[in-house]
Amino acid sequence: MVKDPVLLRKNYIKNPFFIIDIISVLPTDLAYLFLGTQCHETVPCPVIFRLNRVLRLDRMFEFFNKTETRTNFPNAFRITKIIYYILILVHWNACFFFAISFSIGFETDGWVYQGSENLHDQYIFSFWWSTLTLTTIGETAQPIQDSAHVFVILDFLVGVIIFATIVGNIGSMITNMSAARDEYQSRLDAIKQYLVFRKVGDELETRVIKWFEYLWNNKQSLDEDQVMGMLPDKLKAEIAMHVHLETLKKVKIFQECEKGLLVDLVLKLKLEVFSPGDYVCRCLLRLETELCLVNSQF
């Protein structure tokens, strides 16, 4: 990874996006100090001075892609991103509606913009009209001009396609967010059915349910072997050392061991969860007894 600022600047200047980024951040908004923000029949709309901001689209998509791979809450970020996309589409559509209304003439018929010359009122009305049209959940005035008919037809088609896609994506993300919970619940239901079928006592059934609840509450229901299996051996070793090495050092028989041996032991560890009152070291004591018997024979 290159971190030298000089090399980074040279590489960025050679990048074709350098010119586009420069154009997109030019302070064209200063034109409003001279032209104002009023827009009516005798004064053209100065919105053209902000069109250079559209050149930031590629950077916006790049930001979303990088953030989605780095965030710890990918599903929540995806839903937020889709909501942001919806707002952008509604905003752009509102701008097109206002521009067509301006070209036809304000208040010339019942379809075009009806209202005051105040910028706030103009934007709110256009945004409201755009939301109703794209979502197809409300009724608007019947268009009169041919250009207005064409625009409304395109709006309906685009709105149906885009919002159907968005609703489908949101449904899939919500399903993914609850997938872990559904899998846990299905496993728990299967265990309950098995215990009932085998006529297991209430005490043992309660212990089993509490064990499952503990796994879920502590987020230990993940399949570590499946998750770690996607990583290379070096990363698996580093993660295992970070998770288990300090715990392993607390065991008295491993405190004087070399680090290489501890690393090998860490890679062999597997997560096991025991209920209160369970024997954890019974097998180790039996093994120690067997080793003593073997040594006594020699």
Short mmCIF file of all heavy atoms in Angstrom, two decimals, residues 225-282:
data_model
loop_
_atom_site.label_atom_id
_atom_site.label_comp_id
_atom_site.label_asym_id
_atom_site.label_seq_id
_atom_site.Cartn_x
_atom_site.Cartn_y
_atom_site.Cartn_z
N ASP A 225 -16.33 -22.99 12.10
CA ASP A 225 -15.57 -23.72 11.09
C ASP A 225 -15.94 -23.25 9.68
O ASP A 225 -15.07 -23.10 8.82
CB ASP A 225 -15.84 -25.22 11.22
CG ASP A 225 -15.27 -25.78 12.52
OD1 ASP A 225 -14.33 -25.17 13.05
OD2 ASP A 225 -15.78 -26.82 12.99
N GLN A 226 -17.21 -23.00 9.46
CA GLN A 226 -17.64 -22.54 8.14
C GLN A 226 -17.17 -21.12 7.87
O GLN A 226 -16.73 -20.79 6.76
CB GLN A 226 -19.16 -22.61 8.04
CG GLN A 226 -19.72 -22.17 6.68
CD GLN A 226 -21.24 -22.26 6.63
OE1 GLN A 226 -21.88 -22.64 7.61
NE2 GLN A 226 -21.81 -21.92 5.50
N VAL A 227 -17.25 -20.24 8.88
CA VAL A 227 -16.82 -18.86 8.70
C VAL A 227 -15.31 -18.78 8.49
O VAL A 227 -14.82 -18.10 7.59
CB VAL A 227 -17.25 -18.00 9.91
CG1 VAL A 227 -16.69 -16.60 9.80
CG2 VAL A 227 -18.77 -17.96 10.01
N MET A 228 -14.54 -19.48 9.33
CA MET A 228 -13.09 -19.42 9.24
C MET A 228 -12.55 -20.20 8.05
O MET A 228 -11.42 -19.97 7.61
CB MET A 228 -12.48 -19.99 10.53
CG MET A 228 -12.86 -19.22 11.78
SD MET A 228 -12.17 -17.57 11.83
CE MET A 228 -10.45 -17.97 12.08
N GLY A 229 -13.33 -21.13 7.51
CA GLY A 229 -12.87 -21.92 6.38
C GLY A 229 -12.63 -21.11 5.13
O GLY A 229 -11.90 -21.53 4.22
N MET A 230 -13.23 -19.93 5.04
CA MET A 230 -13.05 -19.07 3.86
C MET A 230 -11.74 -18.29 3.90
O MET A 230 -11.35 -17.69 2.90
CB MET A 230 -14.23 -18.10 3.74
CG MET A 230 -15.57 -18.79 3.54
SD MET A 230 -16.93 -17.60 3.36
CE MET A 230 -16.95 -16.85 5.00
N LEU A 231 -11.07 -18.26 5.05
CA LEU A 231 -9.88 -17.45 5.21
C LEU A 231 -8.62 -18.28 4.95
O LEU A 231 -8.61 -19.50 5.18
CB LEU A 231 -9.82 -16.86 6.62
CG LEU A 231 -10.99 -15.97 7.03
CD1 LEU A 231 -10.83 -15.54 8.48
CD2 LEU A 231 -11.09 -14.75 6.12
N PRO A 232 -7.53 -17.64 4.52
CA PRO A 232 -6.26 -18.36 4.38
C PRO A 232 -5.70 -18.75 5.74
O PRO A 232 -6.09 -18.20 6.78
CB PRO A 232 -5.35 -17.35 3.67
CG PRO A 232 -5.96 -16.02 3.94
CD PRO A 232 -7.43 -16.24 4.04
N ASP A 233 -4.75 -19.68 5.74
CA ASP A 233 -4.22 -20.22 7.00
C ASP A 233 -3.57 -19.13 7.86
O ASP A 233 -3.68 -19.15 9.09
CB ASP A 233 -3.20 -21.33 6.70
CG ASP A 233 -3.87 -22.54 6.07
OD1 ASP A 233 -5.09 -22.70 6.25
OD2 ASP A 233 -3.16 -23.32 5.39
N LYS A 234 -2.88 -18.19 7.23
CA LYS A 234 -2.19 -17.15 8.00
C LYS A 234 -3.19 -16.28 8.77
O LYS A 234 -3.01 -15.99 9.96
CB LYS A 234 -1.35 -16.27 7.08
CG LYS A 234 -0.49 -15.25 7.81
CD LYS A 234 0.38 -14.49 6.85
CE LYS A 234 1.32 -13.55 7.60
NZ LYS A 234 0.58 -12.57 8.43
N LEU A 235 -4.27 -15.88 8.10
CA LEU A 235 -5.27 -15.06 8.79
C LEU A 235 -6.00 -15.87 9.85
O LEU A 235 -6.32 -15.35 10.92
CB LEU A 235 -6.28 -14.51 7.77
CG LEU A 235 -5.76 -13.41 6.84
CD1 LEU A 235 -6.85 -12.97 5.87
CD2 LEU A 235 -5.26 -12.22 7.64
N LYS A 236 -6.27 -17.15 9.57
CA LYS A 236 -6.90 -17.99 10.58
C LYS A 236 -6.03 -18.09 11.82
O LYS A 236 -6.53 -18.05 12.95
CB LYS A 236 -7.19 -19.38 10.00
CG LYS A 236 -8.39 -19.43 9.08
CD LYS A 236 -8.82 -20.85 8.79
CE LYS A 236 -7.84 -21.54 7.89
NZ LYS A 236 -8.36 -22.87 7.44
N ALA A 237 -4.71 -18.23 11.63
CA ALA A 237 -3.79 -18.32 12.77
C ALA A 237 -3.79 -17.02 13.57
O ALA A 237 -3.84 -17.04 14.81
CB ALA A 237 -2.39 -18.65 12.28
N GLU A 238 -3.78 -15.88 12.89
CA GLU A 238 -3.76 -14.60 13.59
C GLU A 238 -5.05 -14.37 14.36
O GLU A 238 -5.03 -13.88 15.50
CB GLU A 238 -3.53 -13.47 12.59
CG GLU A 238 -2.14 -13.47 11.96
CD GLU A 238 -1.94 -12.31 11.00
OE1 GLU A 238 -2.86 -11.49 10.89
OE2 GLU A 238 -0.87 -12.25 10.37
N ILE A 239 -6.19 -14.71 13.76
CA ILE A 239 -7.46 -14.55 14.45
C ILE A 239 -7.54 -15.49 15.66
O ILE A 239 -7.98 -15.10 16.75
CB ILE A 239 -8.63 -14.80 13.49
CG1 ILE A 239 -8.67 -13.71 12.42
CG2 ILE A 239 -9.96 -14.85 14.25
CD1 ILE A 239 -9.74 -13.93 11.37
N ALA A 240 -7.10 -16.74 15.48
CA ALA A 240 -7.13 -17.69 16.58
C ALA A 240 -6.23 -17.24 17.73
O ALA A 240 -6.60 -17.37 18.91
CB ALA A 240 -6.70 -19.07 16.08
N MET A 241 -5.07 -16.69 17.41
CA MET A 241 -4.18 -16.19 18.46
C MET A 241 -4.81 -15.01 19.19
O MET A 241 -4.72 -14.90 20.42
CB MET A 241 -2.83 -15.78 17.85
CG MET A 241 -1.99 -16.95 17.38
SD MET A 241 -0.45 -16.41 16.60
CE MET A 241 0.31 -15.52 17.96
N HIS A 242 -5.45 -14.13 18.45
CA HIS A 242 -6.09 -12.97 19.07
C HIS A 242 -7.23 -13.39 19.99
O HIS A 242 -7.44 -12.80 21.06
CB HIS A 242 -6.61 -12.03 17.99
CG HIS A 242 -7.34 -10.83 18.54
ND1 HIS A 242 -6.68 -9.75 19.08
CD2 HIS A 242 -8.66 -10.57 18.64
CE1 HIS A 242 -7.59 -8.86 19.49
NE2 HIS A 242 -8.79 -9.33 19.22
N VAL A 243 -7.98 -14.43 19.60
CA VAL A 243 -9.15 -14.84 20.37
C VAL A 243 -8.77 -15.73 21.55
O VAL A 243 -9.30 -15.57 22.66
CB VAL A 243 -10.15 -15.56 19.43
CG1 VAL A 243 -11.32 -16.12 20.24
CG2 VAL A 243 -10.66 -14.60 18.36
N HIS A 244 -7.82 -16.67 21.35
CA HIS A 244 -7.60 -17.72 22.34
C HIS A 244 -6.26 -17.67 23.07
O HIS A 244 -6.11 -18.35 24.08
CB HIS A 244 -7.71 -19.10 21.68
CG HIS A 244 -9.04 -19.33 21.01
ND1 HIS A 244 -10.22 -19.35 21.70
CD2 HIS A 244 -9.35 -19.55 19.70
CE1 HIS A 244 -11.22 -19.59 20.86
NE2 HIS A 244 -10.72 -19.71 19.65
N LEU A 245 -5.28 -16.92 22.55
CA LEU A 245 -3.94 -17.02 23.11
C LEU A 245 -3.89 -16.56 24.56
O LEU A 245 -3.26 -17.21 25.41
CB LEU A 245 -2.95 -16.21 22.26
CG LEU A 245 -1.48 -16.37 22.63
CD1 LEU A 245 -1.06 -17.83 22.51
CD2 LEU A 245 -0.59 -15.50 21.74
N GLU A 246 -4.51 -15.44 24.88
CA GLU A 246 -4.48 -14.94 26.25
C GLU A 246 -5.15 -15.92 27.21
O GLU A 246 -4.71 -16.09 28.35
CB GLU A 246 -5.16 -13.57 26.32
CG GLU A 246 -4.41 -12.47 25.59
CD GLU A 246 -3.00 -12.28 26.15
OE1 GLU A 246 -2.84 -12.38 27.39
OE2 GLU A 246 -2.08 -12.02 25.35
N THR A 247 -6.24 -16.55 26.75
CA THR A 247 -6.90 -17.54 27.60
C THR A 247 -6.02 -18.75 27.83
O THR A 247 -5.94 -19.30 28.94
CB THR A 247 -8.23 -17.98 26.94
OG1 THR A 247 -9.04 -16.83 26.73
CG2 THR A 247 -8.97 -18.96 27.84
N LEU A 248 -5.31 -19.16 26.77
CA LEU A 248 -4.43 -20.32 26.88
C LEU A 248 -3.27 -20.04 27.83
O LEU A 248 -2.81 -20.94 28.55
CB LEU A 248 -3.92 -20.71 25.49
CG LEU A 248 -3.34 -22.12 25.34
CD1 LEU A 248 -4.41 -23.16 25.66
CD2 LEU A 248 -2.79 -22.33 23.95
N LYS A 249 -2.77 -18.82 27.85
CA LYS A 249 -1.66 -18.48 28.73
C LYS A 249 -2.04 -18.54 30.20
O LYS A 249 -1.18 -18.65 31.07
CB LYS A 249 -1.13 -17.08 28.39
CG LYS A 249 -0.36 -17.00 27.08
CD LYS A 249 0.13 -15.59 26.83
CE LYS A 249 0.93 -15.49 25.54
NZ LYS A 249 1.39 -14.10 25.28
N LYS A 250 -3.33 -18.42 30.50
CA LYS A 250 -3.77 -18.47 31.89
C LYS A 250 -3.74 -19.88 32.46
O LYS A 250 -3.81 -20.04 33.68
CB LYS A 250 -5.19 -17.89 31.99
CG LYS A 250 -5.28 -16.41 31.63
CD LYS A 250 -6.71 -15.91 31.71
CE LYS A 250 -6.80 -14.45 31.31
NZ LYS A 250 -8.21 -13.94 31.36
N VAL A 251 -3.69 -20.90 31.60
CA VAL A 251 -3.63 -22.28 32.07
C VAL A 251 -2.21 -22.56 32.58
O VAL A 251 -1.23 -22.28 31.88
CB VAL A 251 -4.01 -23.26 30.94
CG1 VAL A 251 -3.97 -24.70 31.44
CG2 VAL A 251 -5.40 -22.92 30.41
N LYS A 252 -2.11 -23.09 33.76
CA LYS A 252 -0.81 -23.22 34.42
C LYS A 252 0.17 -24.09 33.64
O LYS A 252 1.36 -23.78 33.56
CB LYS A 252 -1.01 -23.79 35.83
CG LYS A 252 0.25 -23.84 36.66
CD LYS A 252 -0.02 -24.31 38.08
CE LYS A 252 -0.91 -23.31 38.80
NZ LYS A 252 -1.11 -23.70 40.23
N ILE A 253 -0.30 -25.18 33.06
CA ILE A 253 0.63 -26.09 32.38
C ILE A 253 1.16 -25.51 31.07
O ILE A 253 2.13 -26.03 30.51
CB ILE A 253 -0.05 -27.44 32.10
CG1 ILE A 253 -1.27 -27.25 31.18
CG2 ILE A 253 -0.45 -28.14 33.38
CD1 ILE A 253 -1.92 -28.56 30.77
N PHE A 254 0.54 -24.41 30.57
CA PHE A 254 0.99 -23.81 29.31
C PHE A 254 1.75 -22.51 29.52
O PHE A 254 2.20 -21.89 28.55
CB PHE A 254 -0.20 -23.54 28.39
CG PHE A 254 -0.96 -24.77 27.98
CD1 PHE A 254 -2.33 -24.84 28.14
CD2 PHE A 254 -0.29 -25.86 27.43
CE1 PHE A 254 -3.03 -25.97 27.76
CE2 PHE A 254 -0.98 -27.00 27.06
CZ PHE A 254 -2.35 -27.06 27.23
N GLN A 255 1.91 -22.06 30.76
CA GLN A 255 2.53 -20.77 31.00
C GLN A 255 4.01 -20.75 30.66
O GLN A 255 4.56 -19.71 30.31
CB GLN A 255 2.31 -20.35 32.47
CG GLN A 255 0.88 -20.00 32.78
CD GLN A 255 0.68 -19.62 34.24
OE1 GLN A 255 1.61 -19.76 35.05
NE2 GLN A 255 -0.52 -19.15 34.57
N GLU A 256 4.69 -21.89 30.75
CA GLU A 256 6.13 -21.94 30.48
C GLU A 256 6.43 -22.45 29.07
O GLU A 256 7.58 -22.67 28.73
CB GLU A 256 6.82 -22.86 31.51
CG GLU A 256 6.62 -22.43 32.95
CD GLU A 256 7.20 -21.06 33.23
OE1 GLU A 256 8.19 -20.68 32.54
OE2 GLU A 256 6.69 -20.36 34.11
N CYS A 257 5.40 -22.66 28.26
CA CYS A 257 5.60 -23.19 26.90
C CYS A 257 6.09 -22.11 25.95
O CYS A 257 5.88 -20.90 26.17
CB CYS A 257 4.30 -23.79 26.37
SG CYS A 257 3.74 -25.24 27.29
N GLU A 258 6.76 -22.54 24.90
CA GLU A 258 7.20 -21.61 23.86
C GLU A 258 6.01 -21.10 23.07
O GLU A 258 4.96 -21.75 22.99
CB GLU A 258 8.19 -22.30 22.93
CG GLU A 258 9.47 -22.74 23.59
CD GLU A 258 10.42 -23.40 22.61
OE1 GLU A 258 10.03 -23.55 21.43
OE2 GLU A 258 11.53 -23.76 23.01
N LYS A 259 6.22 -19.94 22.47
CA LYS A 259 5.12 -19.32 21.71
C LYS A 259 4.73 -20.16 20.51
O LYS A 259 3.55 -20.24 20.14
CB LYS A 259 5.53 -17.91 21.27
CG LYS A 259 4.39 -17.15 20.60
CD LYS A 259 4.80 -15.73 20.24
CE LYS A 259 3.64 -14.98 19.59
NZ LYS A 259 4.02 -13.59 19.20
N GLY A 260 5.69 -20.82 19.87
CA GLY A 260 5.37 -21.65 18.70
C GLY A 260 4.43 -22.79 19.06
O GLY A 260 3.51 -23.12 18.31
N LEU A 261 4.67 -23.41 20.24
CA LEU A 261 3.79 -24.48 20.69
C LEU A 261 2.39 -23.94 20.98
O LEU A 261 1.38 -24.58 20.64
CB LEU A 261 4.36 -25.14 21.93
CG LEU A 261 3.49 -26.23 22.59
CD1 LEU A 261 3.24 -27.36 21.62
CD2 LEU A 261 4.14 -26.73 23.87
N LEU A 262 2.32 -22.76 21.59
CA LEU A 262 1.01 -22.17 21.89
C LEU A 262 0.25 -21.85 20.60
O LEU A 262 -0.98 -22.02 20.53
CB LEU A 262 1.20 -20.89 22.72
CG LEU A 262 1.76 -21.07 24.12
CD1 LEU A 262 1.90 -19.73 24.81
CD2 LEU A 262 0.88 -22.01 24.95
N VAL A 263 0.96 -21.40 19.58
CA VAL A 263 0.31 -21.12 18.29
C VAL A 263 -0.29 -22.39 17.71
O VAL A 263 -1.43 -22.41 17.23
CB VAL A 263 1.30 -20.46 17.32
CG1 VAL A 263 0.69 -20.36 15.93
CG2 VAL A 263 1.70 -19.09 17.83
N ASP A 264 0.47 -23.49 17.76
CA ASP A 264 -0.04 -24.77 17.24
C ASP A 264 -1.25 -25.23 18.05
O ASP A 264 -2.22 -25.76 17.49
CB ASP A 264 1.05 -25.82 17.28
CG ASP A 264 2.17 -25.53 16.27
OD1 ASP A 264 1.87 -24.82 15.29
OD2 ASP A 264 3.30 -26.00 16.48
N LEU A 265 -1.20 -25.05 19.36
CA LEU A 265 -2.34 -25.44 20.19
C LEU A 265 -3.57 -24.59 19.92
O LEU A 265 -4.70 -25.09 19.91
CB LEU A 265 -1.96 -25.35 21.67
CG LEU A 265 -0.95 -26.38 22.19
CD1 LEU A 265 -0.59 -26.07 23.63
CD2 LEU A 265 -1.53 -27.78 22.09
N VAL A 266 -3.34 -23.30 19.69
CA VAL A 266 -4.45 -22.38 19.43
C VAL A 266 -5.21 -22.79 18.18
O VAL A 266 -6.44 -22.74 18.12
CB VAL A 266 -3.92 -20.93 19.31
CG1 VAL A 266 -4.93 -20.05 18.59
CG2 VAL A 266 -3.64 -20.36 20.68
N LEU A 267 -4.50 -23.23 17.16
CA LEU A 267 -5.14 -23.64 15.90
C LEU A 267 -5.97 -24.91 16.08
O LEU A 267 -6.84 -25.19 15.24
CB LEU A 267 -4.08 -23.84 14.82
CG LEU A 267 -3.32 -22.58 14.39
CD1 LEU A 267 -2.24 -22.93 13.38
CD2 LEU A 267 -4.28 -21.56 13.81
N LYS A 268 -5.69 -25.68 17.12
CA LYS A 268 -6.43 -26.92 17.35
C LYS A 268 -7.66 -26.69 18.23
O LYS A 268 -8.48 -27.61 18.38
CB LYS A 268 -5.52 -27.96 18.01
CG LYS A 268 -4.24 -28.27 17.24
CD LYS A 268 -4.54 -28.90 15.88
CE LYS A 268 -3.23 -29.26 15.15
NZ LYS A 268 -3.51 -29.83 13.81
N LEU A 269 -7.79 -25.52 18.83
CA LEU A 269 -8.89 -25.29 19.76
C LEU A 269 -10.22 -25.19 19.04
O LEU A 269 -10.31 -24.65 17.94
CB LEU A 269 -8.64 -24.01 20.56
CG LEU A 269 -7.48 -24.02 21.55
CD1 LEU A 269 -7.36 -22.68 22.24
CD2 LEU A 269 -7.69 -25.12 22.59
N LYS A 270 -11.24 -25.70 19.67
CA LYS A 270 -12.61 -25.60 19.18
C LYS A 270 -13.51 -25.14 20.31
O LYS A 270 -13.33 -25.53 21.47
CB LYS A 270 -13.11 -26.95 18.63
CG LYS A 270 -12.41 -27.39 17.36
CD LYS A 270 -13.02 -28.68 16.82
CE LYS A 270 -12.33 -29.11 15.53
NZ LYS A 270 -12.93 -30.37 14.98
N LEU A 271 -14.48 -24.29 19.97
CA LEU A 271 -15.38 -23.73 20.98
C LEU A 271 -16.36 -24.78 21.48
O LEU A 271 -17.00 -25.47 20.68
CB LEU A 271 -16.15 -22.55 20.39
CG LEU A 271 -17.17 -21.88 21.31
CD1 LEU A 271 -16.47 -21.25 22.49
CD2 LEU A 271 -17.98 -20.86 20.55
N GLU A 272 -16.43 -24.93 22.79
CA GLU A 272 -17.40 -25.82 23.42
C GLU A 272 -18.07 -25.05 24.56
O GLU A 272 -17.40 -24.38 25.35
CB GLU A 272 -16.73 -27.08 23.98
CG GLU A 272 -16.16 -28.02 22.93
CD GLU A 272 -17.24 -28.76 22.17
OE1 GLU A 272 -18.41 -28.75 22.65
OE2 GLU A 272 -16.95 -29.32 21.10
N VAL A 273 -19.38 -25.14 24.64
CA VAL A 273 -20.15 -24.46 25.68
C VAL A 273 -20.74 -25.51 26.60
O VAL A 273 -21.41 -26.44 26.15
CB VAL A 273 -21.27 -23.60 25.07
CG1 VAL A 273 -22.07 -22.92 26.18
CG2 VAL A 273 -20.66 -22.54 24.14
N PHE A 274 -20.48 -25.37 27.91
CA PHE A 274 -20.97 -26.31 28.91
C PHE A 274 -22.02 -25.64 29.78
O PHE A 274 -21.95 -24.43 30.04
CB PHE A 274 -19.81 -26.80 29.79
CG PHE A 274 -18.77 -27.59 29.05
CD1 PHE A 274 -17.68 -26.96 28.47
CD2 PHE A 274 -18.89 -28.97 28.91
CE1 PHE A 274 -16.72 -27.67 27.78
CE2 PHE A 274 -17.94 -29.70 28.22
CZ PHE A 274 -16.86 -29.05 27.66
N SER A 275 -22.96 -26.43 30.22
CA SER A 275 -23.99 -25.93 31.13
C SER A 275 -23.44 -25.89 32.55
O SER A 275 -22.46 -26.58 32.88
CB SER A 275 -25.22 -26.84 31.08
OG SER A 275 -25.75 -26.88 29.77
N PRO A 276 -24.05 -25.11 33.44
CA PRO A 276 -23.60 -25.07 34.84
C PRO A 276 -23.68 -26.44 35.48
O PRO A 276 -24.68 -27.16 35.33
CB PRO A 276 -24.58 -24.09 35.49
CG PRO A 276 -25.06 -23.23 34.37
CD PRO A 276 -25.10 -24.11 33.16
N GLY A 277 -22.61 -26.85 36.17
CA GLY A 277 -22.57 -28.14 36.83
C GLY A 277 -21.97 -29.25 35.99
O GLY A 277 -21.76 -30.36 36.50
N ASP A 278 -21.69 -28.99 34.71
CA ASP A 278 -21.10 -30.02 33.86
C ASP A 278 -19.61 -30.19 34.18
O ASP A 278 -18.93 -29.23 34.55
CB ASP A 278 -21.25 -29.67 32.38
CG ASP A 278 -22.69 -29.77 31.91
OD1 ASP A 278 -23.51 -30.34 32.67
OD2 ASP A 278 -23.00 -29.28 30.81
N TYR A 279 -19.10 -31.41 34.02
CA TYR A 279 -17.67 -31.67 34.18
C TYR A 279 -16.95 -31.27 32.90
O TYR A 279 -17.33 -31.68 31.80
CB TYR A 279 -17.42 -33.15 34.47
CG TYR A 279 -17.83 -33.56 35.87
CD1 TYR A 279 -19.04 -34.20 36.09
CD2 TYR A 279 -17.00 -33.30 36.95
CE1 TYR A 279 -19.43 -34.59 37.37
CE2 TYR A 279 -17.37 -33.67 38.23
CZ TYR A 279 -18.59 -34.31 38.44
OH TYR A 279 -18.94 -34.67 39.69
N VAL A 280 -15.92 -30.44 33.05
CA VAL A 280 -15.15 -29.97 31.90
C VAL A 280 -13.85 -30.76 31.77
O VAL A 280 -13.40 -31.05 30.67
CB VAL A 280 -14.85 -28.46 32.04
CG1 VAL A 280 -14.05 -27.96 30.84
CG2 VAL A 280 -16.15 -27.68 32.17
N CYS A 281 -13.24 -31.12 32.87
CA CYS A 281 -11.90 -31.72 32.85
C CYS A 281 -11.91 -33.19 33.23
O CYS A 281 -10.86 -33.74 33.55
CB CYS A 281 -10.98 -30.95 33.81
SG CYS A 281 -10.79 -29.21 33.40
N ARG A 282 -13.05 -33.85 33.21
CA ARG A 282 -13.09 -35.26 33.58
C ARG A 282 -12.24 -36.09 32.63
O ARG A 282 -11.49 -36.97 33.05
CB ARG A 282 -14.52 -35.75 33.60
CG ARG A 282 -14.64 -37.26 33.90
CD ARG A 282 -16.09 -37.71 33.91
NE ARG A 282 -16.80 -37.16 35.07
CZ ARG A 282 -18.10 -37.42 35.30
NH1 ARG A 282 -18.80 -38.15 34.45
NH2 ARG A 282 -18.68 -36.93 36.36
#
